Amino acid sequence: MNTLVVRCPAKVNLHLEVLGLRADGYHEVRTLMVAVGLWDELAIFPVPGGAIEMEVSGGTLPQDNTVRRAAELLARYSGVRPGARVVLSKGIPVAAGLGGGSADGAAALVGLAHFWGLDLPRRELAALAAALGSDVPFFLEGGACWAEGRGEIVYPLPDLPPLWVVLVPGREPVPTPAVYRAWDEGHRLMGELQVGKVERETAGAHGFPRAAEALLYDWLVGGGQLPWAKLRNDLQQPAVGLFPWIGEHLRRLETSLPLLAMVSGSGGTVFGIFASQAEARNAAGGIPGAVAVPVLTREQSQLAPKRKEGACGDHRGAH
Ligand code: C5P
């Protein structure tokens, strides 16, 4: 067994509609997700025996994290357990709305399947990914995707034009369940909380989900722009309500006139979209902690396990 490395990118949600609260406690959503060039790296080393060991650098993760859960799920599902030591190097902030934990889970599934010589059909990998978390299946596709259900039903879309993103980090971790609960409370107060099953949309005339075609027609079908003014995130208001500094970050980013300024997922990262690297760098330069990264194509964001160069002998602590 060779030592493997898998890099996984972050995502931002360019659009996120919350349709209602489901009987299972999740929310039915429709979202446009896109991979961006901020990365975590997983290195997988052989260990004797059947143990799964884990080490994290650059962030603190709970014991019950998506990488460990992915390893245990895959081992249980496949019946193979030759052991592995996974060293995760975090470049994506934790609990920030950038999908870092989900990306790590997807990378662990793909990396360990390769490491253990499992040739899993895509459909099975996608089902394991969905069991790990709502955003995990997106990272098996990468690029730009439309997602429905609780986010796990993923439709690949064509690559976006070569846009740049400024990411403004949050001041503290933002727990996703709290932001969804605040969304519930807001809607309950207004007597507008939909509970129960939401009808999902079927394919539209051009083969994409009907809701995606309705919102993104000019770009998807007409060869035009993304409808910047129509894109929204329904979790933005509850996130700002819970963490007012998110609103401050948004207002600050808006002064550099991005095509879109929005909270990603449930926050607290705020992002701005720019047409060029120069504009993005310029905007990021004026905001402490902000970084400018490219929107990634599907090919650039593939989770591709690679042999680690020069790896040999005892790998403990090596990263
Ligand atoms: O699926 P995942 O484990 O990433 O979701 C984390 C939490 O976010 C869920 O426990 C739930 O509170 C909330 N969530 C939700 N609706 C979604 C996705 C996540 O309510 N569509």
Side-chain angles (χ1 to χ4, degrees):
M1 258 177 299
N2 287 308
T3 299
L4 287 183
V5 172
V6 194
R7 292 207 317 151
C8 50
K11 60 85 181 164
V12 294
N13 302 76
L14 296 182
H15 180 77
L16 200 170
E17 285 171 59
V18 183
L19 303 178
L21 173 64
R22 310 189 330 185
D24 63 4
Y26 282 93
H27 292 74
E28 190 78 12
V29 299
R30 285 180 192 147
T31 181
L32 172 59
M33 300 166 95
V34 61
V36 299
L38 184 72
W39 302 86
D40 281 353
E41 188 182 280
L42 251 86
I44 307 175
F45 302 93
V47 290
I52 293 169
E53 300 174 7
M54 201 183 156
E55 187 184 316
V56 186
S57 67
T60 309
L61 297 188
Q63 180 65 15
D64 177 37
N65 58 67
T66 49
V67 171
R68 190 174 289 281
R69 285 173 44 225
E72 279 162 7
L73 185 64
L74 190 62
R76 244 192 345 266
Y77 181 75
S78 62
V80 187
R81 194 156 183 160
R85 174 174 182 76
V86 183
V87 178
L88 171 62
S89 306
K90 292 293 298 174
I92 308 171
V94 176
L98 295 172
S102 304
D104 299 341
L109 278 181
V110 170
L112 285 168
H114 194 91
F115 191 71
W116 288 336
L118 307 171
D119 193 16
L120 289 184
R122 191 87 176 164
R123 214 171 45 84
E124 292 178 30
L125 212 53
L128 292 171
L132 279 179
S134 306
D135 287 348
V136 182
F138 162 75
F139 289 97
L140 298 179
E141 300 291 343
C145 289
W146 184 259
E148 297 193 358
R150 60 185 168 90
E152 89 288 17
I153 308 170
V154 174
Y155 303 91
L157 301 180
D159 288 331
L160 293 181
L163 297 164
W164 281 76
V165 186
V166 171
L167 300 171
V168 182
R171 286 189 200 158
E172 59 194 299
V174 170
T176 301
V179 177
Y180 271 108
R181 273 199 305 276
W183 183 92
D184 292 345
E185 272 158 34
H187 282 70
R188 202 174 274 124
L189 268 174
M190 305 296 288
E192 286 170 0
L193 185 62
Q194 296 264 357
V195 183
K197 191 162 165 33
V198 182
E199 282 303 313
R200 263 177 228 131
E201 309 225 29
T202 51
H206 300 273
F208 300 108
R210 196 180 295 275
E213 287 188 7
L215 179 72
L216 307 172
Y217 189 90
D218 282 356
W219 168 60
L220 271 182
V221 184
Q225 288 277 312
L226 280 159
W228 299 113
K230 286 196 210 152
L231 302 182
R232 66 171 211 262
N233 178 355
D234 289 344
L235 295 179
Q236 182 160 304
Q237 200 185 322
V240 171
L242 288 174
F243 299 95
W245 51 260
I246 296 178
E248 290 167 35
H249 289 187
L250 270 173
R251 286 190 290 279
R252 180 141 192 198
L253 191 55
E254 276 161 359
T255 61
S256 51
L257 304 178
L259 294 164
L260 177 74
M262 204 183 260
V263 169
S264 185
S266 54
T269 303
V270 164
F271 69 91
I273 301 284
F274 293 86
S276 72
Q277 181 178 22
E279 285 172 85
R281 283 210 172 145
N282 198 29
I287 305 176
V291 290
V293 299
V295 162
L296 301 177
T297 62
R298 173 143 303 114
E299 198 185 331
Q300 288 169 329
S301 48
Q302 283 309 296
L303 304 174
K306 294 202 169 61
R307 280 181 64 166
K308 191 171 167 70
E309 296 301 321
C312 59
D314 182 3
H315 310 290
R316 265 157 209 283
H319 62 278

